[in-house]
Amino acid sequence: MIIRHSSYPGAPKWQINGHFQTLAPSLLRRFKHIQYERERIETPDHDFLDLDWWLARPHQFSDRLILLSHGLEGSTGSSYILGMADFFHRKGWDVLAWNCRSCSGEMNRQFRMYHHGDTEDIHHVLQHAIARGDYPTVAMTGFSMGASITLKYLGTQGEAAPPQIKAAVVFSAPCNIAAGADVLDRWDNWLYKRLFLTKLSRKLRIKAQQFPGRIDPSRLKAVRRWRDFDEWFSAPICGYQSAADFHQQASSGNFVAGIRRPTLLISAANDPILTPECFPIETASEHPYFHFELTSGGGHCGFQSKMDKQVAWSEYRAFE
């Protein structure tokens, strides 16, 4: 179903475009009171994942859990994750925010790290969390890459998704990775491209030391287009034959038709790093479980509201 009339009231007036609406929340919002409890779990391939819990009641599981998934080179400390964690915690939910491999502050053990279509790790996290807390009700939310992972997971699982999962709401999903790669190459998106490349390059140099000969870090200097990065690094590290293969197999838009849990994707029309190819309007229009809402503003994972300086509209909307 298409949500024809969004309740998003608009961004604060001083956030004059999608870039301001993207960057301002991540720079200005602070959540120093949040006290995660970290848990490290082993993966089936002898790696590890770091999970950050925040229970509604200390040392006691409730009957409701929300699972939070972060974006590319984000973490459980990203402002959009902290904001959502804070909001749901105050509503009496247990919160579990998980770090993708290499994103918790310590490099992972295996050659592969993480990517937009990585559904194995989120499945492992869900199984562990449901078993540990014996939760009858689980909701999922994610941002950007975390939104894509959530969508692909639910799409590929279909009816086989854990019955405890009752709903999902995700924001700013790059459902078409090829289109997302191309838009990062635009001159007005140089800052995002630089930030991503700087952080990822640092990790890839460490990975090259861990696994000599598997990748050539000198090629990082030759990256001109984001597709170069995907061809030389993303694809081989993630186990794909090429950038084209990676874009096809990892793009969540190719799998949302299989979703069988109530799921809402929210994107902003002024998102600077998403294009209309990332808005699966046609699939949502006739789908009984997958819903799409396009807001007039909000940027990429921003969604601050002129009505409330303390809480992002995305947090209100997810709880609804």
Side-chain angles (χ1 to χ4, degrees), residues 119-120 122-124 126-127 140 149-163 165 255 258-261:
T119 58
E120 295 176 2
I122 196 171
H123 181 64
H124 186 59
L126 276 165
Q127 287 184 316
M140 303 173 71
I149 291 173
T150 302
L151 290 175
K152 185 184 174 187
Y153 174 73
L154 292 172
T156 54
Q157 289 287 308
E159 294 288 0
I165 299 174
F255 302 93
I259 289 175
R260 294 298 181 268
R261 297 289 186 275

Side-chain angles (χ1 to χ4, degrees), residues 110-302:
Q110 296 298 330
F111 179 61
R112 85 172 185 90
M113 295 192 293
Y114 67 93
H115 61 87
H116 286 72
D118 183 2
T119 58
E120 295 176 2
D121 283 351
I122 196 171
H123 181 64
H124 186 59
V125 170
L126 276 165
Q127 287 184 316
H128 170 80
I130 291 170
R132 184 182 179 199
D134 193 23
Y135 290 104
T137 297
V138 176
M140 303 173 71
T141 190
F143 293 84
S144 194
M145 183 196 71
S148 286
I149 291 173
T150 302
L151 290 175
K152 185 184 174 187
Y153 174 73
L154 292 172
T156 54
Q157 289 287 308
E159 294 288 0
Q164 293 87 349
I165 299 174
K166 307 304 182 186
V169 56
V170 296
F171 300 87
S172 307
C175 295
N176 186 312
I177 301 175
D182 290 341
V183 80
L184 274 178
D185 292 331
R186 287 189 338 207
W187 69 268
D188 55 329
N189 284 330
W190 67 269
L191 177 60
Y192 311 113
K193 184 177 180 180
R194 175 62 64 86
L195 288 173
F196 288 145
L197 280 177
T198 299
K199 291 183 177 181
L200 287 167
S201 295
R202 189 179 303 120
K203 288 184 177 181
L204 289 171
R205 292 187 177 97
I206 297 174
K207 194 60 65 177
Q209 293 176 350
Q210 285 181 307
F211 298 91
R214 298 287 297 274
I215 56 174
D216 181 3
S218 68
R219 301 194 78 174
L220 286 166
K221 296 180 180 179
V223 171
R224 295 295 178 264
R225 304 179 307 154
W226 195 268
R227 286 178 184 250
D228 297 334
F229 184 87
D230 284 345
E231 185 72 36
W232 299 335
F233 300 103
S234 301
I237 288 176
C238 299
Y240 294 96
Q241 296 179 358
S242 64
D245 182 43
F246 168 55
H247 294 162
Q248 176 67 24
Q249 298 299 324
S251 291
S252 59
N254 296 329
F255 302 93
V256 293
I259 289 175
R260 294 298 181 268
R261 297 289 186 275
T263 300
L264 173 63
L265 165 60
I266 299 174
S267 298
N270 70 343
D271 190 316
I273 58 176
L274 296 186
T275 66
E277 289 87 348
C278 292
F279 304 153
I281 294 173
E282 184 176 349
T283 302
S285 62
E286 302 293 336
H287 204 292
Y289 295 99
F290 176 60
H291 311 286
F292 180 67
E293 181 174 348
L294 186 66
T295 64
S296 59
H300 190 76
C301 300

Side-chain angles (χ1 to χ4, degrees), residues 292-317:
F292 180 67
E293 181 174 348
L294 186 66
T295 64
S296 59
H300 190 76
C301 300
F303 297 105
Q304 277 197 299
S305 167
K306 62 184 178 183
M307 307 300 293
D308 192 331
K309 296 181 180 179
Q310 304 301 319
V311 178
W313 173 82
S314 51
E315 291 141 26
Y316 283 115
R317 190 70 177 104

